[in-house]
């Protein structure tokens, strides 16, 4: 699993820059354009929130757990429809931003959640956090399946029979390369280099192999209700993010400048600059190394 320090490295370092670019309680995951790229990013994100709510049978008064809540976009949506959301995150920056915006959030590893912690829920959503639940080390130890199965057991314990869970996550696609080929010194156009940039940006995270991997892991506890890719929507989301990241504001550019000293002594940070230039996740989607799914499950 990505540890709190891994997650802080990935998310808290640029937390302020992102919030100033895409919004205080913005979604940091692929939106749901359904291929209609005339929608604004915000409209497409709202469509995603509505889709999750409808498919999880959430109504006013429902108690919902958001595993990996980010800056609280889905919690904020739940609040707007009168449902009660509890968010869990490992990022200090996200936790503080959520608190400031009056959202109910805790710093807690959602993989180890027990009913004794916060009780049970009517529905569970996890949008863009599944990517972080298995680390490279755990993958190498052959523990990936066990980790995912344990996660679904945890979710199942929190739900009543018939309760639903939504997982949105990136997965490895057909074109994924072997772990030992990943190399930051490889040719800059190669998949080996591309994956090295991504691993550098997201330490402690290794993806599931296709949607089947997730569906299989959920099986003892959940029946699969429906699922679809959102890869093209994610590519569009990243394009919009990149435009917004470049938009000028004094406060944002001051935040960029504050990172400059780290560039001198931290080679990992210098590699992260490359990510800003080429958006490796978008390229990984385009090359079929990565894919993306939105999946709905129901407890049996
Ligand atoms: C890409 S962000 C997505 C945030 C949000 N769901 C959204 O759609 O904007 C990934 C989130 O997963 C959280 N996360 C990753 N691993 C976690 C874990 N084991 N326990 C709790 N949160 C975790 C991170 O802290 C972060 O908030």
């Amino acid at each position: 699993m990505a540890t709190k320090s891994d997650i802080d490295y990935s998310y808290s370092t640029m937390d302020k820059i992102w919030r100033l670019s895409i919004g205080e309680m913005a979604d940091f995951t692929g939106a749901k354009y359904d291929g209609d790229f005339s929608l604004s990013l915000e409209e497409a994100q709202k469509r995603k929130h509505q889709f999750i709510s409808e498919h999880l049978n959430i109504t006013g008064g429902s108690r919902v757990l958001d595993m990996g809540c980010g800056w609280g976009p889905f919690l904020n949506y739940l609040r707007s429809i009168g449902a009660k959301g509890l968010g869990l995150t490992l990022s200090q920056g996200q936790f503080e931003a959520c608190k400031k915006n009056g959202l109910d959030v805790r710093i807690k590893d959602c993989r180890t959640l027990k009913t004794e912690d916060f009780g049970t829920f009517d529905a569970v959503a996890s949008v863009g956090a599944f990517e972080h639940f298995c680390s490279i080390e755990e993958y190498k130890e052959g523990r990936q399946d066990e980790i995912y199965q344990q996660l679904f057991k945890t979710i199942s314990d929190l739900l009543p029979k018939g309760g639903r869970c939504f997982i949105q996550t990136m997965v490895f696609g057909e074109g994924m390369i072997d772990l030992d080929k990943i190399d930051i010194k490889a040719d800059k156009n190669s998949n080996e280099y591309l994956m090295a940039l991504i691993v550098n940006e997201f330490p402690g995270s290794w993806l599931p192999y296709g949607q089947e991997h997730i569906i299989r892991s959920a099986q003892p506890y959940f029946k699969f209700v429906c699922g679809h890719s959102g890869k093209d929507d994610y590519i569009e989301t990243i394009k919009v993010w990149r435009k917004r990241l470049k938009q000028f504001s004094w406060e944002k550019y001051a935040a960029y400048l504050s990172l400059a000293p780290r560039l001198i002594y931290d080679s990992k940070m210098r590699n992260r600059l490359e990510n800003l230039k080429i958006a490796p996740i978008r390229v990984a989607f385009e090359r079929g190394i990565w894919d993306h799914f939105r999946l709905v499950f129901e407890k049996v």
Side-chain angles (χ1 to χ4, degrees):
M1 180 197 87
T3 60
K4 181 168 187 311
S5 93
D6 292 333
I7 292 286
D8 276 327
Y9 172 80
S10 302
Y11 293 112
S12 305
T13 317
M14 294 231 332
D15 180 273
K16 192 171 173 192
I17 294 170
W18 275 104
R19 277 186 291 124
L20 287 168
S21 302
I22 61 173
E24 183 63 22
M25 283 185 274
D27 297 77
F28 205 17
T29 42
K32 194 164 181 297
Y33 290 94
D34 300 318
D36 178 2
F37 302 136
S38 69
L39 294 176
S40 70
L41 176 62
E42 287 70 22
E43 284 165 339
Q45 293 292 15
K46 187 164 184 196
R47 219 180 233 207
K48 177 175 74 185
H49 301 154
Q50 286 166 337
F51 174 88
I52 302 172
S53 287
E54 279 161 23
H55 283 77
L56 296 189
N57 303 320
I58 294 171
T59 54
S62 296
R63 188 158 193 264
V64 184
L65 177 68
D66 186 350
M67 289 182 152
C69 63
W71 299 301
F74 188 56
L75 295 175
N76 190 37
Y77 175 78
L78 291 171
R79 179 164 64 182
S80 77
I81 59 166
K84 286 175 259 152
L86 171 70
L88 305 180
T89 179
L90 287 181
S91 156
Q92 193 68 32
Q94 293 176 343
F95 170 75
E96 282 159 21
C98 285
K99 280 293 199 207
K100 193 176 84 185
N101 292 310
L103 298 169
D104 191 2
V105 64
R106 315 293 157 92
I107 294 190
K108 179 146 186 79
D109 173 9
C110 60
R111 292 193 334 174
T112 59
L113 203 62
K114 303 256 178 314
T115 46
E116 301 89 272
D117 295 320
F118 306 113
T120 56
F121 296 85
D122 300 307
V124 175
S126 182
V127 188
F130 204 92
E131 290 90 334
H132 304 297
F133 292 157
C134 179
S135 68
I136 292 182
E137 289 67 32
E138 288 162 330
Y139 166 74
K140 282 189 192 156
E141 289 160 13
R143 296 188 48 221
Q144 194 172 27
D145 290 2
E146 167 207 324
I147 285 168
Y148 294 157
Q149 279 165 19
Q150 179 55 46
L151 178 86
F152 280 108
K153 159 117 185 40
T154 299
I155 299 175
S156 160
D157 289 344
L158 299 170
L159 288 171
K161 193 166 182 290
R164 286 191 168 190
C165 138
F166 172 82
I167 306 279
Q168 173 167 319
T169 182
M170 303 183 217
V171 299
F172 290 135
E174 303 264 302
M176 179 52 190
I177 58 170
D178 287 343
L179 172 61
D180 57 10
K181 297 233 168 65
I182 296 176
D183 184 0
I184 198 72
K185 296 196 183 83
D187 181 280
K188 292 210 168 181
N189 285 318
S190 67
N191 292 343
E192 287 74 6
Y193 177 71
L194 196 75
M195 275 304 303
L197 286 182
I198 296 176
V199 167
N200 179 61
E201 178 87 19
F202 297 102
S205 300
W206 193 249
L207 300 187
Y209 285 81
Q211 61 167 335
E212 302 74 20
H213 196 172
I214 305 170
I215 295 168
R216 205 172 54 241
S217 307
Q219 229 163 38
Y221 313 101
F222 289 91
K223 89 171 177 215
F224 176 52
V225 177
C226 64
H228 53 265
S229 173
K231 186 172 85 168
D232 292 342
D233 286 355
Y234 215 135
I235 290 172
E236 177 66 16
T237 306
I238 294 173
K239 280 186 191 158
V240 178
W241 282 347
R242 285 166 63 73
K243 274 192 211 138
R244 301 240 181 130
L245 274 173
K246 284 182 204 147
Q247 270 167 5
F248 181 79
S249 90
W250 285 109
E251 201 182 354
K252 190 193 334 180
Y253 275 63
Y256 274 125
L257 261 183
S258 73
L259 295 177
R262 284 183 65 178
L263 294 175
I264 298 164
Y265 63 84
D266 186 344
S267 65
K268 285 182 155 197
M269 276 303 281
R270 287 197 293 279
N271 282 328
R272 287 182 81 177
L273 261 192
E274 279 293 296
N275 284 28
L276 282 178
K277 272 193 242 158
I278 67 170
I281 291 182
R282 188 193 69 196
V283 182
F285 281 143
E286 286 167 350
R287 290 188 189 170
I289 308 172
W290 282 27
D291 205 336
H292 176 267
F293 285 95
R294 308 181 184 113
L295 307 168
V296 180
F297 296 96
E298 185 172 298
K299 180 170 167 177
V300 289

